[in-house]
């Protein structure tokens, strides 16, 4: 991605390869944007505290993260990894999903001084040829982490068993409708009107 991005470089724009967990900058930014990446970084309360420091006093933060970890495509991988032969080979490694509930991000943004915010959980519907395509999907995302924790031969067995369980659970509906949840969040340091709203008593709906 970065190699291809180089061609879009121009004065004032550069691309760097760095771990998000270590990223710092002496200058804050007007906009900090992340698409489908922060789900790979642990400890979101601490991560957002650090990321918020990168946003200038009049700046904005916008983040999208997948939040589909309660779908069988994800729970089956965790069950399998924590189970029997695979757990023995990986010392019981099961990927911890750091993505929080939408309301927790709302509270985090508020506590970090974002005067305005929108946090949504949105369902994206993907019409796939069959449930087998769900396996191909997670193979390029979630399962890359399990592959990194196993030998190639063990991962081949893991994938076979994962496929068997996923197809057993999702059935043979064709096409298969893959409902995929994502958290979309946005925060602005300042309110558009410049002032701040303080509510003295909660209003019932
Ligand atoms: C689903 S891709 C999204 C890429 C891009 N943001 C986009 O919207 O097309 C997730 C990316 O996060 C990167 N990534 C994962 N962990 C990371 C980390 N700790 N620091 C920086 N990048 C990371 C991966 O290398 C991958 O390129």
């Amino acid at each position: 991605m970065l190699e291809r991005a180089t061609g879009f470089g121009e004065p004032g724009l550069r691309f760097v390869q760095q771990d998000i967990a270590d990223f710092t900058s002496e200058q804050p930014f007007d906009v900090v944007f992340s698409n489908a990446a922060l789900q790979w970084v642990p400890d979101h309360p601490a991560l957002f505290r650090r990321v918020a420091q990168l946003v200038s006093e009049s700046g904005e933060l916008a983040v999208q993260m997948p939040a589909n970890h309660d779908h069988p495509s994800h729970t089956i991988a965790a069950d399998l990894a924590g189970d029997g032969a695979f757990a023995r080979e990986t010392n019981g490694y099961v990927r911890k999903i750091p993505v929080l509930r939408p309301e927790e991000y709302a509270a985090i943004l508020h506590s970090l001084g974002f005067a305005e915010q929108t946090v949504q959980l949105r369902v994206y519907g993907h019409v796939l040829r069959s449930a087998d395509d769900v396996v191909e999907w997670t193979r390029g995302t979630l399962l890359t982490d399990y592959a990194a924790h196993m030998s190639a031969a063990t991962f081949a067995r893991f994938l076979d068993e994962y496929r068997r369980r996923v197809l057993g659970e999702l059935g043979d509906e064709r096409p298969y409708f893959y409902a995929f949840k994502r958290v979309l969040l946005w925060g602005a340091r300042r309110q558009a009107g410049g002032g701040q709203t303080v509510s003295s008593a909660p209003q019932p709906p």
Side-chain angles (χ1 to χ4, degrees), residues 25 29 35 52 64 77 87 92 117 123 132 134-135 137-138 140 142 150 156 165 187 203:
S25 167
F29 298 97
N35 186 57
Q64 184 276 118
Q117 61 162 274
V123 181
D132 210 40
V134 174
V135 176
W137 178 308
T138 48
L142 171 73
M150 297 174 194
R165 292 192 193 188
Q203 300 297 310

Side-chain angles (χ1 to χ4, degrees), residues 1 18-21 35-37 39-41:
M1 276 186 200
Q18 202 175 327
D19 190 337
I20 294 166
N35 186 57
Q39 76 278 6
W40 289 110
V41 185

Side-chain angles (χ1 to χ4, degrees), residues 49-118:
R49 270 198 301 280
R50 264 192 345 89
V51 168
Q53 289 170 2
L54 299 170
V55 182
S56 72
E57 280 183 17
S58 57
E60 299 177 35
L61 171 66
V63 174
Q64 184 276 118
M65 289 170 287
N68 221 32
H69 36 277
D70 56 357
H71 188 276
S73 56
H74 287 58
T75 56
I76 287 172
D79 290 347
L80 193 54
D83 199 30
F86 300 110
R88 273 197 298 282
E89 293 206 34
T90 61
N91 291 324
Y93 176 77
V94 177
R95 177 167 170 69
K96 288 194 184 67
I97 307 288
V99 177
L100 304 171
R101 288 174 294 149
E103 62 271 33
E104 293 176 289
Y105 290 110
I108 287 174
L109 288 177
H110 173 74
S111 72
L112 292 173
F114 288 89
E116 280 200 64
Q117 61 162 274
T118 311

